[in-house]
Amino acid sequence: MSSTAPTAEGRYLVKFSFVSQTGVNLPQVVVEIDVARPGDLWPYYNNAGVSNDGAANEGDFDGDGWSYSAQRLAAAGLTPAASVTVDSLQYTWPDAQPGELNNIEAGGQTIPLPANSGGASIGILGSATNAYPGSQGTFRVTYTDGTTQEVNLALSDWTLGGGASSTPFFGNTIAATTAYRDTTSGGRDNITTYVFGASAALTPGKAAQSITLPASVDQGQLHVFAFSIG
C-alpha cells in the first residue's frame, strides 16, 4: 500500500480503510502527512508556547499552564515569521498563531537542513523550562560528507528562576524580554520572561546536512523556536 504525497507544502490527512480476512470492516486509520522543505521546523513542533493575553486554554509552554504573551513578544519584535538577529546570526520566528504548536521540545529529533548550509557557527533560539539555571544537552551536526560533530548547547530558564537572577547563564544572549507571562486560565503572572540565543562553532569548510537534538537534557526541558547557521 502506498500514497503519493501532495507537492504543495502543508499538513494532509490520509484515510485508510481495512477489511479483515473474514470480511469484517475494521476501524478507519487516519495518517497525517507533512510536506515541507528541508530546514522547515513546523513538522517537528510539539509544544504550544505562546498565548493571547486574556485567552484561556491556548499555550502551555512549561507543562504547568504558563506561556509567553503574544502581545509582549510582538512588542519585543517577535511576531509570526519575523526576522531577528542575535549574535550576528539571523533567525526566523515561528510563523504560528497563539495557541498553535510553535517550538520543539528536544527529544532526539533529526531535522534535515537546506542544501549548502555552511557557516562558522550554529545557533538556537529558545529557553528552558522547569530547570534552573537552565537545560543543556548534546546536539549532533551531520555534514554532507558523512562526518558528524557534537556540540553542547544550553539555554537558560525562561524566567531565570522566577527572578532569582537578572543575568542569563551559559553565555546566552537575551533575544527578547517580556514583563509577564500568561496562564491557561486567562490570567497573567508578573514575572519577567525571556527568549535566549545560544551558539557554537562548526567545523570550517563543511556543509551541514542535518541537526539532531538531544535525546535527553540534564534537567527540565529544552525548547527550540528556531535554528540558524551562519
Side-chain angles (χ1 to χ4, degrees):
M1 181 181 295
S2 63
S3 178
T4 301
T7 56
E9 274 196 288
R11 299 184 188 273
Y12 300 89
L13 298 181
V14 180
K15 298 179 180 180
F16 294 92
S17 297
F18 297 92
V19 179
S20 72
Q21 292 181 340
T22 59
V24 176
N25 290 325
L26 300 176
Q28 193 175 65
V29 175
V30 179
V31 177
E32 179 180 300
I33 297 176
D34 295 338
V35 179
R37 297 166 298 181
D40 282 352
L41 299 186
W42 61 263
Y44 303 92
Y45 292 157
N46 57 7
N47 178 273
V50 178
S51 300
N52 278 306
D53 289 351
N57 301 314
E58 284 195 340
D60 185 1
F61 188 57
D62 63 353
D64 293 320
W66 303 104
S67 58
Y68 288 98
S69 159
Q71 286 67 38
R72 292 300 89 205
L73 287 175
L78 298 184
T79 55
S83 178
V84 57
T85 300
V86 181
D87 293 333
S88 300
L89 289 172
Q90 186 172 19
Y91 299 89
T92 299
W93 188 249
D95 188 10
Q97 297 303 309
E100 295 179 345
L101 300 176
N102 67 346
N103 70 93
I104 305 169
E105 184 178 315
Q109 302 91 335
T110 295
I111 300 168
L113 299 173
N116 302 315
S117 293
S121 61
I122 183 169
I124 57 175
L125 198 66
S127 64
T129 54
N130 301 303
Y132 184 73
S135 294
Q136 56 186 323
T138 301
F139 291 69
R140 185 176 70 251
V141 179
T142 299
Y143 294 103
T144 54
D145 64 2
T147 61
T148 61
Q149 177 187 357
E150 293 188 343
V151 296
N152 186 269
L153 290 169
L155 290 170
S156 302
D157 177 74
W158 66 320
T159 66
L160 291 176
S165 174
S166 59
T167 303
F169 300 90
F170 316 111
N172 287 172
T173 297
I174 296 175
T177 304
T178 70
Y180 57 85
R181 58 182 179 174
D182 289 335
T183 176
T184 50
S185 67
R188 67 176 60 171
D189 179 26
N190 293 317
I191 188 72
T192 306
T193 309
Y194 306 87
V195 178
F196 304 99
S199 61
L202 293 177
T203 303
K206 293 193 176 187
Q209 178 175 290
S210 66
I211 177 75
T212 301
L213 279 67
S216 61
V217 295
D218 62 337
Q219 62 175 347
Q221 300 83 38
L222 188 149
H223 299 259
V224 177
F225 286 98
F227 285 98
S228 180
I229 294 180

